[in-house]
Amino acid sequence: MAYSSCLQIDFTSGGFWYNRDVQTETLAITYTEAGMMIAQRNAWTSLFAILPLLATTLVAQPPSERPDHEHRAKAEVKYVSQSALGKSVTHAQLSNGLTVLVQENHAAPVATVRCFVKNTGSAFEGRYLGTGISHMLEHLVALGSTTKRPEPEIQKLLDSMGGQTNAFTSTDMTAYFVDCPSSRTDLAIELIADSMQYSLIPENEYLREMEVVQRELEMGEASRERMQYQAMKSLIYTEHPIRHPTIGYLPVVQSVNRSDVIAFYKNRYVPQNMIFLVVGDVETDHVLEQVLTNFKTFQRTTERGAVLASEPNQASARSTRLEMAGETTNFSVGWPTVMLQHPDLYPLDVASYLLAHGDSSRLGYRLKIEQPLALSVSSSSYTPGIVNGWFDASVQCQPANTEACRKAIYEEIERLKTELVSEKELNKVKRQKAAEHVFQQETVQEQCNSLAYSFISTGDPLFDDQYVAGIQGVTPEQIQAVARKYFLPERSNTVVIDPIGSQREVTEQAAQATESPVVRKTLANGLTVLLKRHSVTPTVSIQAFVNGGALADTAETSGLASLSTSVMERGTEKYTGREIAEHFDSIGGSFGTSSQRNTSFLRCSVLSDDFDEALDYAFQVLFRPTFPAEEFEKVKQQQLAGIAARKANPQTEILDFWSTMVPATSPYGRTISGTEDTVAALTVEQCKQFHAKYFTPDNMVLAIFGDIDVEKTLARLEATLGMEAKGSGLTLPKFPLRTPATDAKREHITTAQPGTAMVLLGYPVVSALDQDTRAKLDVFNSILTGGSGAGGRLFNELRGEGLVYYVFGIELTGQAPGYFLFMAQTRPETVDEVVGRIQANVKRLADEGIEAEDFELAKQKLIAAHAQRNVTPSSQAFQAAVDELYGLGYDNDKSYEARINKVTVADLQGLVREYFQNAIIATSSPATE
């Protein structure tokens, strides 16, 4: 399909936001086309690689009185139709052409308010093609001044209601949204409605955002995923305007002036181009009334859009090759296919799943498990609603493995043409798609996006249901037919991205609910169990955490915890690694073991019907792994490849470099994945010893949250996991509450990343056990960088002056006391200024404090954002298990609001004076010529 949705940690194109778990166990980062990082999940297609479609802006909703609202008499705006569609969805139409979709979901007191604008996006810019004017306008409309309120007042309103706000532009739409407590839905509706009608676009905001867009474009060119996606588009499309990047081309972007942007806003932001959606704990009639109130003077206009050129059929193979920073090769091959409305959509999507969905898929098993030739494998079937799309298969691998991976892809494509897919394989994919549909309805945000994309693409808000039904009807013969029809040699398109300086010859080579209180019980063998019924959706999350992550490694065994936990799922006494992968792929579930800085863990999510079997697999992996020697070597090679790949990412590169500057006595001086030297020396026997030492019942917290019967689940655990023997008396290290102060230190590294520079400042702070100080740090972070959302002094100052693409603060902490980090991405020539500005803002907070109103807003923003954070079984189980393991108690999260409210301005000033004096500073930039 042609759309994607934002998930977890997200560095977007007008800014960024991120979500971190309370102990900073994970920091997952991926990329968007016109911006930076995004994790995406596609509701309809088989997108498994990151397909960076969106250019996002981390800002909120603004407004401007439209001079084209003439003084002539205006027609009364009213509802002309309203119908209930099922699933608590109501579809209504205003007489001015505005479409309204409302879905009630009373599972949690939250709501999302969104407005999608059609006839915008890079394909619909008419005489402005290549300027990225839709994306530029999005930056200005989102959180910009209106004729009703100036920008600072809008930001204060958003902060006061705890709204998580963002916007994005794609090839064929622009969207704006506010996620908020349901009690503030009316204000969210008003703010977005104002943005759509009354955006002012003042000169100062235009100049500021023009700088931000240019920095974003420059820095986005360092993203392999973005460049791979754009390169494939440029091969597939030679005439259709979808070929242009959403963010535009730098010289063309620079040609746009403010009057152009205002003219485009007046022309395209008209009611018949808009779909307004509200999903959550709301009452439909009240929402419809509020929408009408806020759009009652918005008059319909002549139809506004662009005539799209048709794309001629491809007559011969095409290819392109790029060189970028990094030590791996990205290879992708694609073929033009069909639009969304074509019936071949369904077998194409199934073919994509067969090839690369999960480690038991054809390419996944062949290239990652059987012969670990690839670091990642993916396939997607991209079917937009405005032009024929494409089908592709991609790998990331070491350069020496490119030809073998290319050969494997073509062999599997040929196999689709010559062999009928077995009923077993086909049924697995159908089950996966059905499960995917359920999992993608867990949050109000996902439900809202499903309605919007379905309606814009097909006119049916509930098309997702029809799509799943269409997948269930696919036959082996249909899959073979589409493979023979579309995957032709003369219509192939190949993209290769090699490391800089490889100088290899260009070749044609080719991812209504009820809840119970948490039940906590310590079994006879010391296993701590947390159980909670959470039946918003028929899913179950199983999560087991043990003390013993990277903190358990030594300088000589760095990476052992990560390697050991990864091998655990590659074979047990009862199941082979392939059987484990095939089982969870076949039921559409997720299953994996991993290790982070403080803990090692198993995480599994399945449909409730599959819970009993899933628990048996979890038991086997936790307590009966066999560590097969062959699988150990494969996983080791993958971990080594992952270490090499980190050098191609500016954020991980600077973080790894900063770790080398941390005192040798600190566990934060080692990376989670280890070094190439330490990992290469690790043995199977060391992994077995690690498992025997740390994966014991008395060192484990097991949380099972979801659609379960608590009493029956507890009885089963007592009869299975509860019978495991205790450990042999593990003695965990004792850590102080705070990191010892160190002398200030600053070092620089030369990077291969072109045109971008990184800044990282680390201040020694406290462990996760010092919850009061951590509350102060959260408020401190909210004031300076916006905390879990946009804004803050540093963000507004540095972004406002075009000095950084993003700046954020985050704690790197856990059982051992850690550090508070500031990270910023900037230009090479502004590194010193950014470092100085960060330090000056920290000092200013200590010297001057903060105005009472701004201080309270910062705390309200944290509290409101926190209330919306843990709403799924998986996120709740994660939080409870980690808090319990750390000794904070599974319900520690409930006292978060009280801890934040307790913080005073004097507390913050004291915090800065005590902890923010000497920093360990790491910077990076490319070599000067």
Side-chain angles (χ1 to χ4, degrees), residues 302-351:
T302 55
E303 294 305 302
R304 311 286 175 85
V307 177
L308 305 183
S310 60
E311 183 63 31
N313 290 332
Q314 183 175 336
S316 61
R318 302 166 184 165
S319 65
T320 188
R321 176 178 173 271
L322 308 174
E323 289 191 358
M324 295 183 67
E327 298 182 10
T328 58
T329 291
N330 292 72
F331 172 87
S332 182
V333 59
W335 295 266
T337 55
V338 299
M339 294 175 64
L340 170 68
Q341 299 82 359
H342 197 286
D344 285 347
L345 158 75
Y346 303 106
L348 284 167
D349 279 3
V350 171

Side-chain angles (χ1 to χ4, degrees), residues 168-219:
F168 68 78
T169 302
S170 69
T171 56
D172 58 352
M173 69 182 74
T174 308
Y176 304 85
F177 63 85
V178 172
D179 301 332
C180 62
S182 53
S183 59
R184 308 306 300 274
T185 304
D186 289 358
L187 178 57
I189 291 173
E190 179 186 349
L191 291 176
I192 292 185
D194 287 351
S195 300
M196 298 302 99
Q197 302 172 84
Y198 309 118
S199 189
L200 191 57
I201 313 179
E203 181 74 15
N204 65 316
E205 293 176 21
Y206 168 77
L207 293 175
R208 181 192 68 202
E209 294 304 318
M210 174 61 84
E211 284 296 315
V212 171
V213 167
Q214 291 180 72
R215 300 293 80 74
E216 177 183 341
L217 193 154
E218 293 166 355
M219 293 176 183

Side-chain angles (χ1 to χ4, degrees), residues 432-481:
Q432 288 172 333
K433 296 297 288 186
E436 177 188 64
H437 180 57
V438 174
F439 281 117
Q440 288 181 343
Q441 300 293 316
E442 285 195 307
T443 68
V444 295
Q445 292 84 2
E446 290 167 324
Q447 292 164 5
C448 190
N449 282 340
S450 172
L451 294 176
Y453 298 134
S454 293
F455 182 80
I456 291 173
S457 300
T458 71
D460 176 10
L462 300 180
F463 177 74
D464 269 359
D465 295 335
Q466 178 183 323
Y467 171 77
V468 174
I471 291 292
Q472 303 309 307
V474 171
T475 67
E477 290 76 15
Q478 288 175 328
I479 297 170
Q480 185 179 61

Side-chain angles (χ1 to χ4, degrees), residues 75-79 94-96 292 295-299:
E76 178 188 6
V77 175
K78 59 185 179 181
Y79 284 105
L94 287 172
S95 56
N96 61 5
L292 177 60
F295 285 102
K296 61 185 178 183
T297 62
F298 203 17
Q299 297 294 305

Side-chain angles (χ1 to χ4, degrees), residues 578-601:
R578 180 164 190 172
E579 287 172 337
I580 294 170
E582 285 184 339
H583 175 74
F584 286 95
D585 285 347
S586 69
I587 64 174
S590 63
F591 184 94
T593 51
S594 186
S595 184
Q596 292 297 318
R597 195 166 299 276
N598 298 279
T599 64
S600 295
F601 50 88

Side-chain angles (χ1 to χ4, degrees), residues 529-635:
V529 175
L530 305 176
L531 303 175
K532 179 181 180 181
R533 177 169 173 78
H534 183 294
S535 54
V536 176
T537 55
T539 62
V540 179
S541 176
I542 305 170
Q543 307 205 30
F545 286 79
V546 299
N547 292 296
L551 296 187
D553 295 342
T554 65
E556 294 74 22
T557 64
S558 182
L560 174 60
S562 178
L563 181 60
S564 301
T565 51
S566 295
V567 181
M568 283 169 57
E569 62 176 305
R570 301 298 277 269
T572 72
E573 293 179 2
K574 188 174 179 180
Y575 305 109
T576 65
R578 180 164 190 172
E579 287 172 337
I580 294 170
E582 285 184 339
H583 175 74
F584 286 95
D585 285 347
S586 69
I587 64 174
S590 63
F591 184 94
T593 51
S594 186
S595 184
Q596 292 297 318
R597 195 166 299 276
N598 298 279
T599 64
S600 295
F601 50 88
L602 177 149
R603 302 185 72 182
C604 170
S605 292
V606 294
L607 297 179
S608 52
D609 288 345
D610 301 311
F611 167 58
D612 289 342
E613 280 188 293
L615 189 57
D616 184 54
Y617 279 88
F619 168 77
Q620 282 286 315
V621 170
L622 289 171
F623 294 109
R624 300 289 188 271
T626 54
F627 296 94
E630 184 179 355
E631 296 301 316
F632 166 80
E633 290 299 330
K634 294 176 183 178
V635 175

